[in-house]
Amino acid sequence: SLPGYVYRHLIRKHIVRSAVGEEIVDFTTTPNDSEDREVVQTRGNNSRSSRHDAHGIIKHVTAALLEVRPGLASSPSMTEMSATAVEMLVFGEIYNEVFDEIAQLTKEQDNNLSVKMEKLFANSDNFDNRSNSCCDSAADRMVSQQAIAALSSLPEAHTSTDKLSRCVEFLECVSAH
């Protein structure tokens, strides 16, 4: 089928591009221009290349599917279910590359946060193994030990949901303190 062919071709193209660092050609239209401009980037310089590929694959496969099977576009809910199925299929194939790209992008921020937390722990004289005990330093009076523990566990969280959960826990502890 055409959608299957488009899917296999684009996934194969993504895998080859990931392996050899091929250039990405992106066509963009600026508000002042009526023509598309070709923007060429090298994969190594584009930290969003896998996500960009995933978005493009989903867009093209969904469009091909809805064109070949117009019944799937008969209602908004059918269209949404079709698009969700395509997303699941695409991300099932290239999820590891997309996730690795996000992890690499946030790695420096996670390391910086870890360094800051280590400095905070080093400055806290009475901080005993990330416990919930109260201390008398100025930092401890401003932020509870539970909040600091929640924030310090942030670099250990690997998924965006885990990171968000730790941030919520931190904010709840700060609000309660």
Side-chain angles (χ1 to χ4, degrees):
S1 73
L2 179 63
Y5 172 78
V6 170
Y7 169 75
R8 286 187 301 277
H9 176 74
L10 292 174
I11 290 290
R12 196 174 315 117
K13 188 76 170 171
H14 166 76
I15 291 169
V16 168
R17 202 181 303 171
S18 295
V20 297
E22 185 177 304
E23 291 181 336
I24 300 167
V25 178
D26 187 18
F27 296 97
T28 58
T29 304
T30 61
N32 299 332
D33 290 338
S34 59
E35 293 185 24
D36 288 340
R37 291 186 181 177
E38 187 175 309
V39 178
V40 178
Q41 299 172 328
T42 304
R43 178 164 287 280
N45 295 335
N46 188 359
S47 64
R48 298 180 54 93
S49 58
S50 290
R51 288 176 281 176
H52 191 271
D53 282 355
H55 176 73
I57 293 168
I58 290 167
K59 178 181 172 183
H60 289 294
V61 171
T62 302
L65 181 64
L66 295 176
E67 185 177 327
V68 171
R69 304 275 189 248
L72 295 175
S74 62
S75 71
S77 62
M78 285 296 291
T79 304
E80 182 66 28
M81 286 193 301
S82 300
T84 301
V86 170
E87 286 177 13
M88 291 172 62
L89 186 66
V90 170
F91 279 117
E93 188 82 25
I94 63 173
Y95 176 80
N96 288 336
E97 286 136 7
V98 172
F99 185 78
D100 289 345
E101 180 179 278
I102 294 169
Q104 195 64 27
L105 186 67
T106 60
K107 186 176 184 174
E108 183 179 338
Q109 294 167 339
D110 287 345
N111 290 339
N112 289 341
L113 180 60
S114 293
V115 168
K116 288 179 183 178
M117 293 308 301
E118 287 173 11
K119 287 179 183 177
L120 179 64
F121 292 143
N123 291 338
S124 178
D125 297 331
N126 298 327
F127 192 76
D128 183 27
N129 207 7
R130 297 183 187 178
S131 68
N132 295 332
S133 64
C134 291
C135 302
D136 294 332
S137 71
D140 291 329
R141 285 189 299 249
M142 292 180 354
V143 180
S144 72
Q145 293 301 314
Q146 292 166 327
I148 293 172
L151 191 60
S152 67
S153 68
L154 193 60
E156 298 165 2
H158 297 291
T159 65
S160 57
T161 305
D162 288 343
K163 288 182 185 286
L164 184 59
S165 175
R166 306 277 170 87
C167 289
V168 168
E169 182 181 344
F170 168 73
L171 292 173
E172 287 173 346
C173 291
V174 168
S175 298
H177 187 63

